[in-house]
Amino acid sequence: VITKVKARQILDSRGIPTVEVDLHTNKGVFRASSPSGASSGLYEAVELRDGDKGTYLGKGVSRAVNNINEKISEALIGMDPTLQVQIDQAMIDLDKTDKKGELGANALLAVSMAACKAGAAEKEVSLYKHIADLAGRTTFNVPVPAFTVINGGKHAGNNLSIQDIMILPVGALRFEEALQMGSETYHHLKAVITEKYGLYGCNVGEDGGFAPNISSLKEGLDLVKEAIGRTGYNEKIKIAIDIAATEFCIGTKYDLDYKSPNKSGQNFKSGEDMIAMYKELCEAYPIVSIEDPFDKEDWEHSKYFTSLGICQVVGDDLLMSNPKRIERAMQEAACNTLLLKVNQVGTVTEAIEVVKLAKDANWGVVISQRSGESEDSFIADLSVGLSAGQIKAGAPCRGERLVKYNQLLRIEEELGDQALYAGDDWRNC
Ligand code: PGA
Ligand code: ZN
């Protein structure tokens, strides 16, 4: 049984406070911590911050921490940690709001993940197996990683408006090989960038991707294409991009120069222009996935673009992992893949439900990091337990990103012959 729940404030990968929980049971102490995004939307669960400008510039999480130590802890002591649904429901009941704004989704999520780890230990199984049990699954797909290799948008101090360029080693036979392919490409890319832009170009953004001062997506894609060519893996590695277009949508136009200090205003594009650009890029580069190609409220262009069937269309800001928005997107076919960020939902049980919703509709599923990450590797186990098929956890570089990828190596090793690398089936595991 749960004997004690103790929270504290720690720092995330951006050096900003986040919530960490130690959940004690008769089997030991189980630790989890919440991640945090750069942009948070209206429809996602609330990240509770202190707002006291004199302390951590208002970003402290002592209220969320106190809510755990003073309220949640009392409600959970004595509960069986294997009963994830009941634990999560007890916290939701205690919070009483739709968006977990009373106690904070950052508080609920850290406790929920710690309880899940305790539940696995109680059953003496690995975390991913316990998660698979909770979801009623019996097979274990190890996801294709989407490694961020170039950062832009809100995640980097360069002029690139779009947020990430990622590589997907779909042609690997095992995750271990995918990680090697990712790492080698990353280092070849470093050399390509250094040759062109000097060492300055190799500074990295928040997810560990390089942030050379390029201003166009095409320039970034050329660098990545060159790096892939140098590895010799060629068609075994595909490219994905996260446009995060909400960040630069102005009225009905998209300002692709939004970060440029001398912007001319010449680069304003309509939704139709954006579609033409995506078509062209998908022909010229091995792009298989585009995330948030339009503003989060631009349902019309999203629908039209998805109907073209050119590539996977991922809803991140469009969906905010919110079941109502996901249902609408399904009805309208406004995208065809869920990007799940656990802290936008707030509990493990709800994360499992949302993924089920997506899988039942034959959507693809990407289990995703946040730009502000912790040392927690929970999402690695989640991605295998739910056989998501895809994981986005940043570059194959930087500790808070590698904890996820390294955990996937261990899971694959433990599973042995039972491990099925998603590979070419990355969209429908
Ligand atoms: P965020 O970005 O964590 O900063 O919201 C992640 C993403 O857009 O995929
Ligand atoms: Zn995104």
Side-chain angles (χ1 to χ4, degrees):
V1 296
I2 298 173
T3 53
K4 183 177 165 187
V5 185
K6 167 87 179 79
R8 67 180 65 82
Q9 177 171 287
I10 59 165
L11 296 187
D12 70 13
S13 62
R14 273 197 274 258
I16 291 175
T18 191
V19 179
E20 177 174 88
V21 170
D22 286 353
L23 186 139
H24 299 240
T25 71
N26 308 25
K27 295 270 186 188
V29 184
F30 304 92
R31 180 169 289 163
S33 49
S34 294
S36 172
S39 44
S40 54
L42 210 55
Y43 301 93
E44 64 184 72
V46 175
E47 186 175 79
L48 190 64
R49 299 224 174 251
D50 298 341
D52 158 18
K53 295 278 182 232
T55 311
Y56 280 114
L57 294 87
K59 302 261 186 178
V61 290
S62 64
R63 285 197 291 153
V65 164
N66 291 340
N67 287 340
I68 295 173
N69 292 338
E70 289 161 16
K71 297 178 185 155
I72 295 178
S73 133
E74 200 182 298
L76 300 194
I77 285 173
M79 287 184 85
D80 173 349
T82 64
L83 303 179
Q84 190 72 37
V85 175
Q86 285 87 330
I87 290 169
D88 290 340
Q89 195 57 51
M91 293 194 284
I92 290 167
D93 293 345
L94 199 62
D95 179 84
K96 295 191 191 75
T97 65
D98 296 355
K99 293 199 289 180
K100 306 181 173 70
E102 182 63 31
L103 299 174
N106 41 352
L108 266 66
L109 178 70
V111 176
S112 183
M113 294 191 298
C116 196
K117 293 178 187 180
E122 196 73 23
K123 286 163 49 183
E124 297 182 353
V125 297
S126 296
L127 178 57
Y128 64 90
K129 285 198 173 145
H130 176 45
I131 293 170
D133 275 354
L134 292 171
R137 301 194 64 93
T138 50
T139 51
F140 304 103
N141 273 95
V142 183
V144 167
F147 295 116
T148 306
V149 290
I150 290 198
N151 265 156
K154 264 197 170 174
H155 292 182
N158 53 6
N159 286 339
L160 183 64
S161 51
I162 70 111
Q163 194 180 276
D164 328 285
I165 302 179
M166 293 162 274
I167 50 167
L168 275 64
V170 295
L173 297 176
R174 292 165 47 77
F175 180 82
E176 186 186 11
E177 191 191 349
L179 186 59
Q180 182 189 334
M181 287 161 79
S183 162
E184 290 171 6
T185 311
Y186 184 82
H187 293 289
H188 277 295
L189 180 59
K190 185 171 186 174
V192 172
I193 294 174
T194 311
E195 286 160 26
K196 247 186 132 168
Y197 303 93
L199 263 180
Y200 284 128
C202 294
N203 292 336
V204 298
E206 296 198 327
D207 309 311
F210 297 113
N213 203 15
I214 51 177
S215 46
S216 82
L217 172 53
K218 206 169 167 304
E219 218 176 324
L221 289 166
D222 282 331
L223 296 170
V224 174
K225 196 173 165 183
E226 167 75 20
I228 294 172
R230 290 194 192 180
T231 64
Y233 293 123
N234 303 322
E235 72 286 352
K236 288 187 178 175
I237 299 181
K238 304 292 183 200
I239 294 177
I241 47 185
D242 182 1
I243 305 293
T246 302
E247 300 301 336
F248 54 88
C249 179
I250 297 160
T252 58
K253 297 278 189 205
Y254 294 92
D255 180 7
L256 281 168
D257 278 340
Y258 90 106
K259 286 164 74 183
S260 165
N262 352 298
K263 55 185 186 157
S264 57
Q266 299 297 303
N267 217 357
F268 270 50
K269 289 193 183 293
S270 66
E272 284 70 30
D273 296 338
M274 295 293 278
I275 290 173
M277 178 181 84
Y278 298 141
K279 276 186 179 165
E280 223 172 84
L281 293 176
C282 287
E283 269 169 32
Y285 303 91
I287 295 172
V288 293
S289 177
I290 303 187
E291 182 176 330
D292 289 329
F294 306 95
D295 178 67
K296 66 182 189 311
E297 301 306 337
D298 190 350
W299 293 82
E300 289 313 311
H301 287 109
S302 295
K303 274 155 62 174
Y304 179 65
F305 183 62
T306 304
S307 78
L308 297 177
I310 297 174
C311 64
Q312 167 174 273
V313 183
V314 182
D316 170 15
D317 297 333
L318 179 74
L319 305 173
M320 292 173 234
S321 310
N322 176 306
K324 289 200 185 95
R325 291 187 64 98
I326 295 170
E327 265 157 36
R328 174 171 175 195
M330 281 175 180
Q331 271 157 18
E332 300 187 17
C335 65
N336 55 33
T337 301
L338 165 71
L339 186 101
L340 180 91
K341 292 166 163 171
V342 280
N343 73 323
Q344 290 190 325
V345 192
T347 64
V348 173
T349 303
E350 291 162 288
I352 293 173
E353 279 166 11
V354 166
V355 168
K356 262 195 195 149
L357 190 68
K359 283 190 161 273
D360 288 347
N362 288 320
W363 271 22
V365 175
V366 186
I367 302 292
S368 175
Q369 63 168 15
R370 298 309 305 261
S371 47
E373 264 301 331
S374 70
E375 303 126 85
D376 201 318
S377 59
F378 188 88
I379 60 168
D381 285 77
L382 186 71
S383 69
V384 177
L386 301 182
S387 287
Q390 302 173 62
I391 187 167
K392 173 179 175 179
C397 178
R398 308 278 134 195
E400 76 282 2
R401 316 292 148 184
L402 260 328
V403 283
K404 283 74 165 170
Y405 296 131
N406 287 337
Q407 174 66 359
L408 285 166
L409 277 182
R410 295 179 203 110
I411 294 174
E412 183 173 67
E413 180 186 294
E414 181 180 292
L415 278 168
D417 293 345
Q418 272 187 293
L420 306 165
Y421 177 61
D424 288 326
D425 278 336
W426 53 285
R427 272 201 46 80
N428 30 26
C429 286

